[in-house]
Amino acid sequence: MQIERCKGCNDLTAEEMLRFRSVEAAFQETFKSYGYSEVRTPTLEYLYLFTSAGTLTPGMLRRVYSFLDWDGWSGERVVLKPDATIPVARFYTDRLSQREQPARLSYVTNIFIFEETGTKARERWQCGAELIGAGSSMADAELVGLACDSIKKMGLNNIEIKLSHAGLIREILSSLGLNHNEQDGIFDRILDGETDVLNKLQAEKPQTIEALKLLLGTRGKSSSFLKNMRALFAANIPQVQDALEDFIATIELVETMGLNYQIDFTSGKGFEYYTGFIFHLFVEDENVGGGGRYDHLVGMMGGQPTPAAGFALYIDKLATKINIDSLYIPVAQRVSLSIEAGAMKEGVEVAGLLRKAGWIVSLALQGKPAVNCGWQVEVRQSVPQLTVLNCGSGESRVCENPIEILTIVGCG
Amino acid sequence: MQLRVALPKGRLLASTATLLEKAGWALEDYREKARLDRLKSKTLNVLQAKMFQEKDIPIQVAIGNYDLGICGLDWITEQTVKFPSSAVVILKFLGYGEGALYAATRPESIEGDELVTQGDSVRLAGEYPNLAESLAQKLRLRRFSIYPLWGSADAYPPENAEIVMLSCRNEAEIASLGLRSLGKIVDFRACLIVNKESLRIKDMSALLSSINSQLAQAATGAPETYFDIKRITQRVVRKSLPDDCQVRLALPDGHQQAHVRRILDAVGVKIEDYPSVTGNRRPHSSLDGFFIKVIRPQDMPLQVANGNFDLAITGRDWLTNHLYQFPQSPVRELLDLKYGKVRIVAVVANEVPVSTSSELQQLRQSQQASCRIATEYVNIADNYARLNHLGAYRIVPTWGATEAFLPEDADVLIENTETGSTIARHNLKIIETLFESTACVIGGMREADSKLKVERMASFVSLLRKAMETMT
């Protein structure tokens, strides 16, 4: 009977793991250089962590893996973590809120989202950072810089950033008399192309709808775009003033950092827990990550109201784009070691020496040399005890002692 | 090519029988209390029909045991809301099916748009746990617990649940139960459903057009109401309990009532209106410091575990089923009441060449297909399959008449039997007795219980022990 893997779940091959680890390593190195510390939250969380308004969108909630745990007689369900930020906000509230702020936290984690066809991954990997306890434009800019530097560290330089602002969208929708839940639904429907939603609302508040249409229909390329918007609409919709100023301040910082960006309000879809600045990162036209400001989330987890922002990079997508040629270990660096039964002690000594010097040593088993090796070393009981074969040239040499092997393979 | 159709017993049977009669299916003996579950058509040779509890039908169609089925939209939605990639497709609304599934609460639990709860968690109870989870998500509840029930949902509020999911004809019926509707979750409309794969590859056109020709145009549209629910927010109001020494006792409804009554009578415990002809679920008794509610025995272990009740009278089968799912549960058996003796057994069809579970294990090793285990005891069955290394298996949950599932709709049953005669009559055989079950008193051990409460619980158990001695 053939045993299949679970639908929507992937095995990673050795090459794919090399790619994965390479992305992870680039991210780890970058976040450390920005002063972030790695944390890890569990795979299982209570479902209710994600259900209250302002956490996950209803669309996401419909796709969580929820079930009863072994001690689920209380009736509370658990989920396979569907999002990385909300558990980190819980973790911060639970364990770190009394410590010095801001907290700079990073993570590498898998998340689980059901996808109907089973052809796309239901288990996805993310690396991300959360900056909790700082609410300035400078904090937003730090996160954008960290995200972009991480991607550049992976050898990917053509990054495009799309910027939006949930607070600004919320203020406009709120001025139409829509509550939090209605705002999420209406905005997503507008972005799904349901233009009649806007037309219905237009009769009552024509100026607000005009502003919304212009914002959604135009891609700004500098903070001047927002300044133009401010000049056009701030007087008629005064409640957007603060959010606009906040967005302009952040954009000006991003501009100064010399990053390639576009102001695109349609990129803010699915913005339930975001309250301010939102950004999405694109490489080769593919969305490889995103994040934003979520100033209400820590409060919703039972903590003191705390400004916070963060982002996640999608490891699975980045891993397919990076070049890993330099990560392959050349065959000249690999040794197949054959040890005769009575010469184990000497064989182990040779293996240790080679490995210490940076060579990859695999034992020849069942009479067959290990594959993909540039060298074959034999260790015997009788003379000649040590021989080295260069698999490329076919030249074989006898050695007097293990050090001589190192000389021959090139490191002595 | 055979076409297999799953037809409902119960509330939709009469209308379905009329529809199929008009459609010319000429089914023999499709009626309540029919002698056989398998039905033959006098006119359609390709048709193999079988009667099921309505709740079983979407599962049977989804797993491909049946090509077509007829059942209420509520049970279909209960499946598809949790499993959106289910193989069940709704083909037609059939124009009958009365009432709807409502969300309801006690009037005193709702103030304006606020649902008042004593604890942090909103408790939702009902026979539709997947719809309950979806309801909790739609209401954006900050914290909630779901209690899946076998029945008697109206008994739970306000003490044991804030929101219940109730099958009712209309909101007036909900009011007559002393509850207030929060809105409709889904209509009980009868639907013709199909297995997606069967629809792709099998010619069912004769059956489909025979039904379609009988449907009024107005009946075929989609009438469903999903979650037309009042928007509420939760407000926690902590009150001190009126009497934290009070023992909350759950007594069984159904056929166990006469046994329980006899035991209580034997030691002079007076209990009014139990069994109740009016459906009273809160009988008064002469037991000082006891609050009694009447609920389904299947639901009792979970209700004792979650702290809704302190003591309950149920069967060891249901306690065991609960403990296999939740090994750390605080519920324990306190007293064997020795009546209602049944054996919990593993059963296969007579023609299967095995006589023990280990022979079944050997047989399974040579078979490709997943082993289908039909049962009301899903956790006992799950444990059985794992302990016996049955390889790939799936548990098919059933709601009664499980014997009829073998041999075509399941490979193994985990079933209870009193004498074994029903099993033999269905041409089946027992390959293992897993354990014996009798009625028992169960209780939840909690350190927080007051001394007086613990004493009251202990004295009740002693009293019943005395009754057992008196009666034997």
Side-chain angles (χ1 to χ4, degrees):
Chain A
M1 187 169 77
Q2 189 186 348
I3 299 184
E4 298 171 346
R5 65 176 192 264
C6 279
K7 217 177 187 181
C9 293
N10 289 326
D11 299 315
L12 295 188
T13 61
E15 188 200 309
E16 286 164 336
M17 276 311 298
L18 204 56
R19 291 176 172 279
F20 182 103
R21 293 292 185 212
S22 177
V23 169
E24 188 183 34
F27 174 72
Q28 304 261 25
E29 207 174 312
T30 315
F31 81 65
K32 272 184 202 151
S33 72
Y34 272 68
Y36 282 67
S37 307
E38 189 178 9
V39 294
R40 183 157 286 182
T41 59
T43 300
L44 286 186
E45 294 274 3
Y46 284 116
L47 170 59
Y48 66 75
L49 185 64
F50 302 92
T51 54
S52 32
T55 48
L56 277 194
T57 61
M60 283 281 283
L61 274 174
R62 274 196 295 274
R63 297 187 290 145
V64 300
Y65 283 85
S66 67
F67 53 96
L68 287 173
D69 196 4
W70 285 100
D71 55 5
W73 66 83
S74 67
E76 287 188 333
R77 279 158 164 68
V78 294
V79 283
L80 297 178
K81 178 164 53 183
D83 172 88
T85 297
I86 295 169
V88 172
R90 178 202 47 70
F91 172 79
Y92 169 84
T93 309
D94 186 26
R95 308 277 294 273
L96 304 176
S97 57
Q98 302 305 318
R99 303 228 182 131
E100 204 170 310
Q101 291 187 355
R104 287 186 167 87
L105 307 173
S106 70
Y107 59 82
V108 177
T109 189
N110 48 354
I111 60 163
F112 299 84
I113 301 166
F114 176 71
E115 183 276 328
E116 284 195 25
T117 63
T119 53
K120 292 182 188 162
R122 293 172 180 177
E123 179 185 12
R124 304 170 192 180
W125 283 87
Q126 296 186 341
C127 49
E130 312 293 346
L131 176 51
I132 305 179
S136 62
S137 297
M138 189 64 89
D140 294 339
E142 173 176 314
L143 287 162
V144 177
L146 169 55
C148 290
D149 282 352
S150 298
I151 296 173
K152 284 178 191 162
K153 188 85 186 168
M154 295 164 202
L156 303 168
N157 290 310
N158 291 325
I159 307 164
E160 194 188 356
I161 311 168
K162 288 187 180 176
L163 304 170
S164 180
H165 197 286
L168 190 56
I169 299 168
R170 279 200 192 286
E171 289 298 351
I172 293 174
L173 294 176
S174 153
S175 74
L176 293 168
L178 302 171
N179 68 29
H180 188 104
N181 285 337
E182 289 166 339
Q183 289 169 21
D184 292 336
I186 292 271
F187 189 64
D188 284 355
R189 282 171 63 196
I190 293 168
L191 296 183
D192 283 337
E194 292 186 41
T195 47
D196 62 320
V197 177
L198 282 180
N199 296 336
K200 274 180 201 162
L201 296 166
Q202 183 140 23
E204 290 176 30
K205 304 257 179 143
Q207 285 176 330
T208 308
I209 296 299
E210 281 309 315
L212 198 53
K213 280 184 174 173
L214 200 56
L215 277 181
L216 296 176
T218 314
R219 308 282 177 267
K221 282 298 285 179
S222 78
S223 58
S224 305
F225 169 65
L226 293 174
K227 288 173 185 164
N228 295 339
M229 292 294 118
R230 182 173 59 187
L232 280 172
F233 300 109
N236 298 325
I237 322 168
Q239 57 269 56
V240 301
Q241 186 75 34
D242 288 351
L244 255 176
E245 297 302 336
D246 177 65
F247 198 15
I248 290 169
T250 305
I251 299 263
E252 284 178 344
L253 289 173
V254 172
E255 240 163 24
T256 319
M257 291 157 78
L259 298 169
N260 175 24
Y261 76 92
Q262 191 180 63
I263 301 167
D264 179 358
F265 279 90
T266 61
S267 67
K269 194 177 177 185
F271 65 125
E272 176 130 1
Y273 58 65
Y274 290 124
T275 54
F277 174 68
I278 303 177
F279 65 101
H280 286 276
L281 302 157
F282 289 78
V283 172
E284 296 162 10
D285 291 329
E286 190 170 23
N287 187 1
V288 294
R293 176 150 294 284
Y294 52 89
D295 287 346
H296 298 159
L297 204 51
V298 173
M300 292 182 62
M301 298 293 132
Q304 294 296 320
T306 307
F311 70 87
L313 302 180
Y314 312 144
I315 299 180
D316 312 291
K317 288 185 178 171
L318 288 163
T320 62
K321 299 188 184 304
I322 59 168
N323 186 327
I324 54 165
D325 289 349
S326 62
L327 299 176
Y328 283 112
I329 295 164
V331 289
Q333 201 86 26
R334 296 172 179 272
V335 176
S336 169
L337 179 64
S338 167
I339 306 173
E340 209 172 63
M344 196 62 194
K345 187 168 175 289
E346 295 77 6
V348 169
E349 188 188 344
V350 168
L353 266 176
L354 283 164
R355 286 180 182 137
K356 201 172 171 190
W359 259 245
I360 308 274
V361 180
S362 306
L363 293 188
L365 299 172
Q366 294 169 305
K368 292 182 196 161
V371 294
N372 294 331
C373 291
W375 305 92
Q376 285 180 23
V377 174
E378 287 189 42
V379 183
R380 295 187 208 86
Q381 256 184 313
S382 54
V383 180
Q385 276 188 312
L386 302 172
T387 56
V388 179
L389 169 70
N390 183 329
C391 301
S393 66
E395 186 189 351
S396 178
R397 290 178 58 181
V398 175
C399 299
E400 294 296 319
N401 56 57
I403 301 295
E404 207 179 323
I405 299 176
L406 288 183
T407 315
I408 292 169
V409 299
C411 62
Chain B
M1 180 191 63
Q2 293 291 321
L3 293 176
R4 310 193 68 210
V5 184
L7 297 174
K9 297 177 179 176
R11 60 182 182 169
L12 295 180
L13 190 148
S15 302
T16 306
T18 307
L19 171 71
L20 299 180
E21 191 60 37
K22 283 184 190 163
W25 287 27
L27 293 170
E28 291 178 348
D29 219 21
Y30 179 37
R31 58 182 174 79
E32 277 306 343
K33 297 185 179 154
R35 203 169 43 85
L36 292 172
D37 291 313
R38 295 175 184 85
L39 306 171
K40 281 195 180 144
S41 165
K42 291 178 200 159
T43 52
L44 301 160
N45 291 333
V46 294
L47 181 64
Q48 283 188 342
K50 196 160 157 184
M51 290 162 70
F52 286 93
Q53 299 291 336
E54 209 184 313
K55 203 172 178 178
D56 291 327
I57 292 175
I59 298 168
Q60 289 299 312
V61 174
I63 63 178
N65 277 350
Y66 287 80
D67 304 304
L68 292 166
I70 290 177
C71 69
L73 183 59
D74 50 329
W75 293 119
I76 301 165
T77 317
E78 169 67 7
Q79 181 185 96
T80 53
V81 76
K82 180 79 179 174
F83 307 109
S85 59
S86 149
V88 167
V89 176
I90 297 176
L91 289 179
K92 286 281 174 188
F93 290 93
L94 300 175
Y96 55 88
E98 193 187 4
L101 181 67
Y102 290 88
T105 187
R106 288 281 282 212
E108 61 265 35
S109 299
I110 196 103
E111 289 176 10
D113 293 337
E114 289 182 325
L115 182 74
V116 180
T117 64
Q118 283 217 16
D120 291 332
S121 197
V122 176
R123 299 165 299 171
L124 300 99
E127 294 175 61
Y128 303 80
N130 300 334
L131 284 169
E133 184 175 333
S134 201
L135 175 63
Q137 290 178 4
K138 285 190 193 307
L139 292 174
R140 308 308 304 252
L141 297 179
R142 288 185 75 106
R143 190 163 183 176
F144 58 90
S145 294
I146 293 168
Y147 304 150
L149 300 179
W150 282 72
S152 312
D154 59 296
Y156 285 74
E159 302 90 349
N160 311 124
E162 280 75 32
I163 298 177
V164 280
M165 310 186 64
L166 279 184
S167 309
C168 284
R169 279 190 299 281
N170 48 42
E171 300 208 345
E173 190 182 342
I174 295 174
S176 74
L177 295 165
L179 298 169
R180 178 181 292 178
S181 168
L182 294 172
K184 202 189 272 188
I185 294 168
V186 60
D187 279 319
F188 287 163
R189 304 301 288 267
C191 305
L192 176 66
I193 56 173
V194 67
N195 176 279
K196 211 180 275 178
E197 194 58 19
S198 302
L199 186 64
R200 282 198 196 109
I201 58 171
K202 286 190 172 181
D203 180 2
M204 298 179 284
S205 57
L207 292 184
L208 297 179
S209 57
S210 74
I211 290 180
N212 207 30
S213 64
Q214 298 307 315
L215 298 180
Q217 199 57 41
T220 54
E224 68 262 48
T225 301
Y226 294 122
F227 297 104
D228 183 14
I229 299 288
K230 178 185 170 74
R231 294 225 67 87
I232 49 169
T233 50
Q234 184 191 2
R235 181 158 59 91
V236 180
V237 177
R238 296 191 199 282
K239 294 178 194 160
S240 57
L241 291 170
D243 181 4
D244 65 354
C245 298
Q246 190 179 58
V247 178
R248 293 153 305 159
L249 169 67
L251 294 183
D253 60 8
H255 67 274
Q256 280 202 40
Q257 291 180 103
H259 292 287
V260 175
R261 181 69 203 235
R262 205 165 53 244
I263 292 168
L264 294 175
D265 285 348
V267 279
V269 173
K270 292 191 171 52
I271 181 161
E272 291 172 12
D273 203 17
Y274 180 80
S276 169
V277 285
T278 59
N280 174 23
R281 298 198 169 277
R282 294 173 174 78
H284 292 286
S285 78
S286 59
L287 290 163
D288 187 32
F290 274 63
F291 173 73
I292 301 175
K293 247 192 202 186
V294 179
I295 61 171
R296 291 278 166 96
Q298 294 96 320
D299 296 325
M300 288 176 179
L302 187 75
Q303 291 302 318
V304 174
N306 65 30
N308 267 342
F309 293 89
D310 304 301
L311 293 171
I313 294 179
T314 182
R316 191 174 302 112
D317 47 352
W318 295 112
L319 174 63
T320 308
N321 193 52
H322 168 79
L323 291 174
Y324 277 139
Q325 186 175 15
F326 305 120
Q328 305 301 313
S329 163
V331 185
R332 294 290 173 267
E333 180 177 330
L334 303 179
L335 177 68
D336 182 359
L337 295 175
K338 299 191 191 308
Y339 73 83
K341 186 169 174 179
V342 290
R343 286 186 293 150
I344 310 303
V345 292
V347 174
V348 296
N350 268 339
E351 62 263 29
V352 178
V354 302
S355 54
T356 63
S357 293
S358 57
E359 287 176 16
L360 177 67
Q361 181 192 336
Q362 284 168 14
L363 179 74
R364 292 297 317 163
Q365 283 170 358
S366 62
Q367 293 178 336
Q368 290 280 320
S370 182
C371 181
R372 299 166 302 169
I373 309 174
T375 186
E376 291 179 87
Y377 305 110
V378 292
N379 305 310
I380 295 173
D382 204 26
N383 188 62
Y384 172 81
R386 274 184 267 157
L387 289 187
N388 287 287
H389 306 288
L390 293 189
Y393 66 90
R394 57 170 72 174
I395 307 292
V396 183
T398 67
W399 283 267
T402 311
E403 308 82 34
F405 280 72
L406 287 186
E408 64 271 37
D409 302 327
D411 305 300
V412 180
L413 306 181
I414 302 296
E415 177 65 316
N416 67 54
T417 181
E418 221 173 311
T419 61
S421 58
T422 310
I423 288 171
R425 198 167 61 245
H426 280 80
N427 203 23
L428 312 175
K429 63 185 171 190
I430 294 169
I431 56 168
E432 187 177 341
T433 296
L434 307 183
F435 61 94
E436 281 190 351
S437 175
T438 47
C440 56
V441 181
I442 61 170
M445 300 296 123
R446 281 179 198 79
E447 286 178 11
D449 285 341
S450 69
K451 194 174 165 217
L452 176 58
K453 185 169 173 176
V454 172
E455 282 169 9
R456 281 172 170 166
M457 288 165 70
S459 72
F460 178 74
V461 175
S462 306
L463 199 63
L464 295 200
R465 186 172 285 118
K466 202 168 123 197
M468 303 305 299
E469 287 160 8
T470 313
M471 291 164 73
T472 50

